[in-house]
Amino acid sequence: MTNRLAPPGLYIHVPFCARVCPYCDFAVQTGGPRRRGDFIRLLLREIGLWSRLLRGEGSAPDRSAGQGSHQAVPSWRSEQPFDTIYLGGGTPSSLSPEVLEEILAALHGSLPIAPEVDVTLEANPEDVNTGNLRSWQRLGITTLSLGIQSFDPDALSFLGRSHTPEKAGAALRGALESSFETVSLDLIFALPGQSPMRWEADLRRAIEYGPDHISCYELTVHEGTRFARLKERGELVELAEDDKAELFLLTHRLMAENGYHAYEVSSFARGPNHRSRHNRKYWDHTAYLGFGPSAHSFDGVSRRWWNERRLPAWEAGLQRVPGASSGLGTGASGRFGQSPIAGSEILAPADLVLESLALGLRTTEGVDLERLRDLYGIDVEGENGALVASLRRDDLLVDTSPASLLVPTLRGLAVADALARSFEIPPATAS
Amino acid sequence: MQTIRNFCIIAHIDHGKSTLADRLIQRCGGVADRQFRDQLLDTMELERERGITIKSNTITLTYTAGDGQTYTLNLIDTPGHVDFSHEVRRSLMACEGAVLLVDATQGVEAQTVANVYLALEQDLEILPVINKIDMPAADADRVLEQIDADLGLDPFETLQVSAKEGTGIDELLETLVAKLPPPQGDSGAPLKALIFDAEYNAYRGVVLLVRVFEGTLRPGQMMRLMHNGAEYEVEEVGLVKLEREKQGELSAGAVGYVISGIKAVADIDIGDTITEVSRPAAEPLAGYVEAKPVVFSSIFPVSSDEYEELGKALDKLKLNDAALTFQKDSSSALGFGYRCGFLGMLHLDVVQERLSREWDLSLLLTAPSVEFHVTTADGKEHVVENPAEYPDPAAIEQVKEPYIKGSILMPDRYLGTVMELLLEKRGADTQFHYLAVGRVEVTSELPLTEVLFDFYDRLKTITQGYGSFDYELMDYRATDLVKVDILVNAERVDALAMLVHRDKARARAIHACKQLEKHIPRQNFKIAIQGAIGRDIIARRTVNAYRKDVTAKCYGGDISRKRKLLEKQKEGKKRARAFGNVEVPQEAFLAVLRSDPDDK
């Protein structure tokens, strides 16, 4: 739900990776020291621009630039300090501690940051060593999210990861022995041909280390990735829907048995304090501000905008911004003019409702239809009474006492997209 | 009249008829280069794309021959598919000669043979021409042999051209004026003119294309259509060059157009004879055949609010397509639609494609059916083409179905599998004979209904594209017919019902159930799909409830993409029809009508 009063989050996208994984569709690329240096310089510039904008300095968004374009110009409405910083990518752990420090210092120095801020760093096992762990803690990293993906050597090689199971284990142990508030790891399952037994063994190995948080992602073949090309040629055959469902249920059962509470489709935490505070902002329409190529931002009310996806376009956008006096402005590579921003949209009440359903039904918190009606003037409940009743009868939604609160069952979580699609969203009524 | 040559080009699809026509037009200066489009005579987008000529077109060319004489060449562009054999016939009637065009790489096809026989029936002089001699795969000797053996024409009189390269065109034109006879007839006799084509024009009404056999057509005359009796005043006559060219008169032997205030193509009959009211001919020209639809299917809009638009579209198509019939139809499953009659499967395809392409309509079609003759116990005869109107089986005395004589031309290496196919399709009196070394013609008496489903695709696959098929209607024969119903979650879907031979019922029901299973998306409950004859269930498949449908990773803040994907998927749902609470998408309906490539 829109939560203007909730503290917003900050996201930094570091687009560099040592190599591109065959399943990854994020904005990533390889790059040497010079490119990385350019990136950091421009990232700091982007942070500086927003800093001035948030303080009400610099030029207001340039409304004269194009007809109607002022609608698309980003603005920031939240007056709360940011209480999460998420360094994602890409591989932000491949940046040296000194560079990370520079970025964090820029954020702290120019943006309102809450004292109890949660700072997450995504890290590859290869980058985890005693020296780095110590530096990251010193820099105030509170959550370390390890891209382990698997402890199965065959799976790792299929996924194109360069680390070994031993290296992954050592990294995880090292992280757990340090005093991060939360150590999390990512796993990927439902690989072609993967049997329930094999996945269970992989998952059990992860559980044995006792991390605070585990994300288990079903392998998704995204358009434009190498896996997509293999699939097209018939060289990669995805598991059947029923097999995926079986692995999904197995995952949730195993996690529950071992004290990991599922709070979202793919996210499990050993306690509420270990849930991802940052990701939640994406799921409940809290404001977030993103820096770096492809980063998305949301103003906490109705406006979302996104940066140029490719590094050169984002860089060019920032280079064109005239240095001192500027605000952020008017558009994407050409379309918006001088800005790293590629596009934006204003979400209509019906858009916000559809997103709330799609996102809320992915979480064990569910979605409160009464709240949607109060916020957006759209009566989803009235329009979908029969549907909700049948979803409850079919054991896809929990039979909770307040009729307006939709909470997916485990089977419901497994088909959350289909659930979200099945709702008719009536037009907003003047409240 | 001695300097007029009326001719057409007979060719199989893709053998280069349109390209040859273009060369002739260019050579005779019928069109300035800047106006020239390739394959000028095929005007409709669809024709271009599929390489099929749907409406015949005519053009008048002027050619100065080697003898110094200037000739008027009337090229009548015949349509090229078996569905349209009546159109072919009436185009042939307008000619004295025909250029028979055969692809040097493909050889003689069944349909070409059929058209040559039609031309011989009309006593046309036939000029064999081998095209595409520039192609590396050209085998002119083999084709010459086929012209001799398959068609009984003189290989020594055969010309060789490349329409694409323009080689041999001059020789062809010289041969044309030398070999083809001029028209005969008396300009002073009572008027007899054949309507061989008609086209609707939004400004002028119907423009008739005619061949004058006797007498003279002039503006101001009162004319009568001898078969349907209607009378009109002739407003304008002229020649069809690149554009219409007004003339003072059209006299015996001429080919040209007539405009006379006719509102719709449906108001006239192609093949009818025009005469003069004040001095009528004694009898019409021979060979008039009414174009009757033999294949029937109901067309429904996917979205019911497109019903009106569909009606308008059919009205418009009908303006130019007299053979298309339609009347209102309704289905409890699909709501309102139209029951349409077609000359054959190609005609159906063409109409369907034009509706979706030119009118942007999403359509659902019911299984094509033929007209069955049903005798009930009370002695009454019923003509039934719609499963919805099929009488109670208990009251049926006898059912008869239409048979065709089918002819397949192909290399003999496919003989075994083609014979099997014909057997499977209930072919009777199947025979074959060698036309030349390695080349056979197979003939078989087949129920028409067997050709409507799965036949062309299978034949094409079996013969790797080398087999060609042609047919003509024969007679009605007794059959053992049953009505197969399809049920989705125990609900009968009337639009999926079909009338089939008892021996085929199970296979067709299984096919339908399998296709529905494949194309109905999983929903949050199990869906039973059944095929039934009366109360007997003869096929059954199940669509399981969905079990996994959620994106694994939903963060990074790019929620817009996620939402747009959901919206797109929701949009897809709108292209589906709900039966009870089951959504059956358009693809599922269409898939039931097609053979399943995975089955072969």
Side-chain angles (χ1 to χ4, degrees):
Chain A
M1 322 291 116
T2 297
N3 206 341
R4 305 167 196 230
L5 298 177
L10 279 171
Y11 176 74
I12 313 285
H13 187 79
V14 179
F16 297 105
C17 279
R19 49 169 143 165
V20 179
C21 298
Y23 53 86
C24 178
D25 79 330
F26 287 126
V28 295
Q29 64 172 89
T30 54
R34 191 185 50 77
R35 297 221 71 164
R36 291 179 183 228
D38 286 348
F39 163 73
I40 300 299
R41 189 170 55 77
L42 290 164
L43 180 68
L44 296 179
R45 174 180 263 203
E46 192 181 24
I47 293 169
L49 288 169
W50 275 101
S51 158
R52 282 192 290 283
L53 204 69
L54 261 61
R55 288 202 304 265
E57 299 168 13
S59 68
D62 183 5
R63 299 185 177 213
S64 62
Q67 309 87 319
S69 70
H70 63 277
Q71 281 215 320
V73 168
S75 65
W76 193 251
R77 307 200 201 189
S78 176
E79 286 170 12
Q80 299 277 322
F82 295 91
D83 76 342
T84 61
I85 296 173
Y86 195 103
L87 295 156
T91 314
S93 62
S94 67
L95 299 179
S96 69
E98 292 70 34
V99 169
L100 288 174
E101 183 166 15
E102 209 179 340
I103 296 171
L104 288 168
L107 293 175
H108 281 283
S110 51
L111 296 169
I113 308 285
E116 72 286 10
V117 64
D118 180 77
V119 185
T120 304
L121 176 73
E122 285 186 345
N124 265 5
E126 295 96 314
D127 298 324
V128 177
N129 53 51
T130 347
N132 273 346
L133 284 170
R134 209 173 295 135
S135 305
W136 293 339
Q137 277 178 276
R138 183 175 53 78
L139 293 175
I141 306 290
T142 52
T143 300
L144 196 63
S145 173
L146 293 171
I148 286 180
Q149 318 310 354
S150 177
F151 289 99
D152 181 328
D154 294 343
L156 283 172
S157 94
F158 170 76
L159 293 169
R161 304 295 294 192
S162 57
H163 60 264
T164 61
E166 292 69 35
K167 175 68 210 168
L172 185 50
R173 251 194 319 273
L176 285 167
E177 282 161 12
S178 313
S179 51
F180 295 102
E181 281 171 29
T182 300
V183 172
S184 172
L185 62 92
D186 288 356
L187 296 175
I188 300 180
F189 70 99
L191 308 182
Q194 190 174 45
S195 67
M197 243 165 64
R198 192 130 187 200
W199 164 235
E200 183 173 342
D202 202 7
L203 185 54
R204 279 192 186 282
R205 189 150 173 207
I207 292 169
E208 273 163 27
Y209 287 99
D212 309 301
H213 183 282
I214 302 181
S215 298
C216 297
Y217 297 113
E218 179 187 294
L219 176 68
T220 310
V221 177
H222 294 283
E223 224 177 283
T225 60
R226 192 146 67 81
F227 275 174
R229 289 194 294 281
L230 290 175
K231 183 180 166 185
E232 209 167 288
R233 293 204 299 263
E235 291 167 29
L236 184 154
V237 180
E238 286 190 272
L239 284 187
E241 183 185 330
D242 288 348
D243 296 332
K244 288 179 177 175
E246 193 183 335
L247 294 182
F248 180 82
L249 298 179
L250 168 72
T251 307
H252 279 256
R253 181 174 57 73
L254 217 60
M255 295 304 265
E257 281 171 14
N258 288 278
Y260 288 88
H261 175 71
Y263 63 99
E264 191 251 3
V265 167
S266 309
S267 310
F268 305 84
R270 280 234 275 203
N273 54 321
H274 292 303
R275 294 181 183 182
S276 171
R277 221 201 279 173
H278 183 82
N279 284 344
R280 201 198 134 129
K281 298 185 198 300
Y282 298 138
W283 302 335
D284 70 1
H285 286 134
T286 301
Y288 47 89
L289 186 54
F291 299 117
S294 84
H296 281 60
S297 304
F298 183 67
D299 72 354
V301 181
S302 62
R303 193 171 300 191
R304 186 176 290 133
W305 63 96
W306 46 92
N307 278 351
E308 293 286 357
R309 182 177 162 83
R310 293 180 32 76
L311 180 62
W314 173 84
E315 286 180 338
L318 276 164
Q319 265 152 358
R320 277 195 301 269
V321 176
S325 68
S326 173
L328 276 163
T330 34
S333 51
R335 275 169 297 152
F336 274 67
Q338 297 168 333
S339 162
I341 294 170
S344 78
E345 66 171 351
I346 303 243
L347 301 176
D351 298 332
L352 287 158
V353 166
L354 177 58
E355 289 190 359
S356 300
L357 284 167
L359 297 166
L361 291 170
R362 298 172 56 83
T363 66
T364 49
E365 242 173 83
V367 55
D368 186 349
L369 300 184
E370 216 161 279
R371 233 186 125 203
L372 292 187
R373 198 185 55 213
D374 292 346
L375 282 170
Y376 308 120
I378 289 181
D379 183 13
V380 178
E381 203 179 352
E383 186 83 8
N384 296 277
L387 173 72
V388 170
S390 81
L391 295 177
R392 291 206 159 115
R393 197 175 51 240
D394 293 337
D395 192 32
L396 293 164
L397 292 179
V398 175
D399 236 330
T400 35
S401 36
S404 69
L405 181 63
L406 309 184
V407 175
T409 61
L410 181 51
R411 279 189 53 220
L413 267 188
V415 296
D417 287 356
L419 296 187
R421 279 199 299 275
S422 60
F423 282 84
E424 284 299 325
I425 299 174
T429 52
S431 47
Chain B
M1 200 185 301
Q2 289 308 306
T3 58
I4 296 177
R5 296 292 181 272
N6 297 320
F7 71 104
C8 59
I9 303 172
I10 295 174
H12 192 72
I13 296 163
D14 285 342
H15 282 201
K17 179 168 73 174
S18 300
T19 313
L20 178 62
D22 291 348
R23 287 302 155 266
L24 295 177
I25 293 166
Q26 265 184 329
R27 177 66 185 76
C28 297
V31 43
D33 278 344
R34 65 181 167 79
Q35 290 173 297
F36 195 81
R37 293 180 292 145
D38 262 353
Q39 304 190 354
L40 196 75
L41 291 182
D42 287 354
T43 46
M44 279 181 269
E45 187 191 350
L46 185 62
E47 290 185 34
R48 251 157 211 292
E49 203 155 287
R50 298 176 51 138
I52 308 169
T53 309
I54 295 159
K55 293 291 295 175
S56 60
N57 286 281
T58 290
I59 192 157
T60 296
L61 306 172
T62 308
Y63 173 66
T64 306
D67 60 9
Q69 278 275 19
T70 298
Y71 291 87
T72 299
L73 306 182
N74 293 314
L75 168 58
I76 288 142
D77 190 25
T78 53
H81 191 274
V82 65
D83 277 0
F84 302 85
S85 68
H86 70 283
E87 270 190 276
V88 175
R89 190 178 268 117
R90 71 208 178 198
S91 297
L92 295 176
M93 276 174 69
C95 308
E96 278 78 39
V99 169
L100 165 68
L101 194 66
V102 184
D103 186 325
T105 66
Q106 302 286 321
V108 175
E109 311 267 1
Q111 190 206 320
T112 315
V113 180
N115 285 343
V116 167
Y117 289 151
L118 284 178
L120 291 171
E121 222 175 80
Q122 304 297 325
D123 200 21
L124 302 195
E125 183 70 30
I126 294 174
L127 200 62
V129 174
I130 300 178
N131 190 23
K132 305 195 188 179
I133 53 164
D134 60 306
M135 302 279 281
D139 186 351
D141 288 343
R142 187 179 64 100
V143 178
L144 281 172
E145 205 176 289
Q146 290 174 1
I147 287 172
D148 185 12
D150 296 12
L151 303 174
L153 299 172
D154 190 348
F156 297 106
E157 287 191 346
T158 302
L159 301 175
Q160 302 195 7
V161 306
S162 165
K164 201 172 116 221
E165 308 276 314
T167 47
I169 301 301
D170 286 336
E171 197 190 350
L172 172 58
L173 283 164
E174 284 298 315
T175 315
L176 251 165
V177 297
K179 289 258 168 76
L180 301 190
Q184 291 171 347
D186 177 358
S187 308
L191 177 65
K192 265 191 192 182
L194 170 76
I195 302 173
F196 64 86
D197 198 2
E199 191 175 44
Y200 176 79
N201 178 297
Y203 303 104
R204 306 300 308 269
V206 175
V207 180
L208 302 176
L209 290 184
V210 301
R211 156 73 195 272
V212 183
F213 281 86
E214 303 281 351
T216 303
L217 251 173
R218 287 187 195 89
Q221 276 174 332
M222 278 306 289
M223 66 180 214
R224 176 186 299 145
L225 306 182
M226 296 186 79
H227 283 285
N228 82 5
E231 294 180 3
Y232 301 92
E233 184 182 336
V234 178
E235 290 170 9
E236 184 181 316
V237 300
L239 301 178
V240 184
K241 299 222 166 165
L242 188 66
E243 265 142 33
R244 284 194 296 271
E245 211 175 278
K246 213 159 149 180
Q247 302 284 315
E249 59 177 44
L250 293 176
S251 57
V255 168
Y257 71 90
V258 179
I259 293 171
S260 56
I262 300 168
K263 297 271 185 298
V265 173
D267 294 342
I268 55 119
D269 296 303
I270 307 290
D272 206 340
T273 304
I274 298 174
T275 192
E276 198 178 352
V277 174
S278 58
R279 195 162 69 109
E283 31 190 62
L285 296 156
Y288 169 74
V289 183
E290 199 188 339
K292 271 172 65 178
V294 294
V295 174
F296 301 85
S297 169
S298 296
I299 300 183
F300 296 92
V302 171
S303 144
S304 53
D305 51 11
E306 285 185 343
Y307 170 69
E308 235 175 278
E309 189 75 359
L310 174 61
K312 272 190 222 160
L314 286 167
D315 277 331
K316 272 275 164 63
L317 285 188
K318 175 85 183 162
L319 286 176
N320 248 327
D321 185 350
L324 171 69
T325 65
F326 60 94
Q327 61 191 59
K328 286 186 178 158
D329 191 9
S330 75
S331 143
S332 57
L334 299 177
F336 291 107
Y338 290 93
R339 187 76 185 166
C340 302
F342 307 94
L343 296 171
M345 288 303 279
L346 181 80
H347 191 200
L348 183 153
D349 277 356
V350 165
V351 169
Q352 182 196 351
E353 283 217 45
R354 291 190 63 184
L355 287 173
S356 44
R357 195 182 301 213
E358 292 167 25
W359 294 81
D360 198 25
L361 295 167
S362 317
L363 304 172
L364 297 174
L365 273 78
T366 62
S369 179
V370 300
E371 276 182 347
F372 295 98
H373 292 174
V374 181
T375 315
T376 40
D378 55 10
K380 280 192 187 144
E381 292 263 354
H382 311 261
V383 174
V384 179
E385 41 83 0
N386 192 341
E389 289 158 14
Y390 198 63
D392 178 4
I396 293 175
E397 196 78 1
Q398 193 193 34
V399 183
K400 287 182 168 180
E401 64 175 326
Y403 266 66
I404 56 165
K405 176 106 173 181
S407 154
I408 299 167
L409 255 60
M410 62 186 180
D412 62 357
R413 58 181 178 278
Y414 308 115
L415 192 56
T417 35
V418 166
M419 300 286 271
E420 269 171 41
L421 174 65
L422 291 171
L423 191 68
E424 187 195 317
K425 293 291 180 186
R426 298 191 283 134
D429 194 24
T430 302
Q431 298 180 6
F432 69 92
H433 64 275
Y434 276 84
L435 296 164
V437 176
R439 207 168 153 74
V440 287
E441 179 186 24
V442 182
T443 58
S444 185
E445 296 172 13
L446 290 159
L448 176 57
T449 171
E450 293 290 342
V451 177
L452 302 188
F453 176 76
D454 191 30
F455 182 78
Y456 288 97
D457 289 348
R458 296 270 304 278
L459 181 68
K460 220 171 166 187
T461 310
I462 287 172
T463 63
Q464 297 172 308
Y466 287 106
S468 60
F469 180 71
D470 184 49
Y471 70 85
E472 60 186 81
L473 286 170
M474 289 179 76
D475 51 13
Y476 269 77
R477 297 182 190 178
T479 183
D480 186 5
L481 200 68
V482 291
K483 179 178 168 184
V484 173
D485 285 310
I486 301 296
L487 295 81
V488 172
N489 264 4
E491 202 176 314
R492 232 163 263 266
V493 181
D494 55 0
L496 291 171
M498 49 201 166
L499 298 172
V500 294
H501 191 268
R502 188 178 297 277
D503 294 350
K504 293 299 172 64
R506 213 176 112 76
R508 285 293 296 277
I510 289 172
H511 169 80
C513 290
K514 268 168 88 173
Q515 294 291 44
L516 290 172
E517 181 197 6
K518 209 189 271 187
H519 289 92
I520 294 177
R522 290 183 169 201
Q523 287 159 43
N524 59 27
F525 44 83
K526 236 188 217 184
I527 303 162
I529 299 163
Q530 294 164 301
I533 301 175
R535 287 165 182 278
D536 296 335
I537 303 297
I538 55 172
R540 187 193 164 96
R541 309 289 283 201
T542 307
V543 177
N544 284 318
Y546 50 46
R547 296 190 56 203
K548 189 69 175 54
D549 184 355
V550 63
T551 317
K553 208 166 192 167
C554 204
Y555 63 67
D558 187 2
I559 311 298
S560 298
R561 181 158 66 155
K562 172 81 191 150
R563 188 188 76 246
K564 280 167 191 156
L565 182 66
L566 285 171
E567 279 166 355
K568 211 171 127 194
Q569 290 164 332
K570 275 171 82 98
E571 199 53 41
K573 271 171 57 173
K574 292 200 183 125
R575 293 174 85 86
R577 279 304 185 103
F579 298 94
N581 44 5
V582 179
E583 281 150 15
V584 181
Q586 183 192 18
E587 307 89 75
F589 276 91
L590 298 177
V592 169
L593 307 185
R594 282 192 305 263
S595 53
D596 186 347
D598 297 346
D599 279 357
K600 308 289 136 53

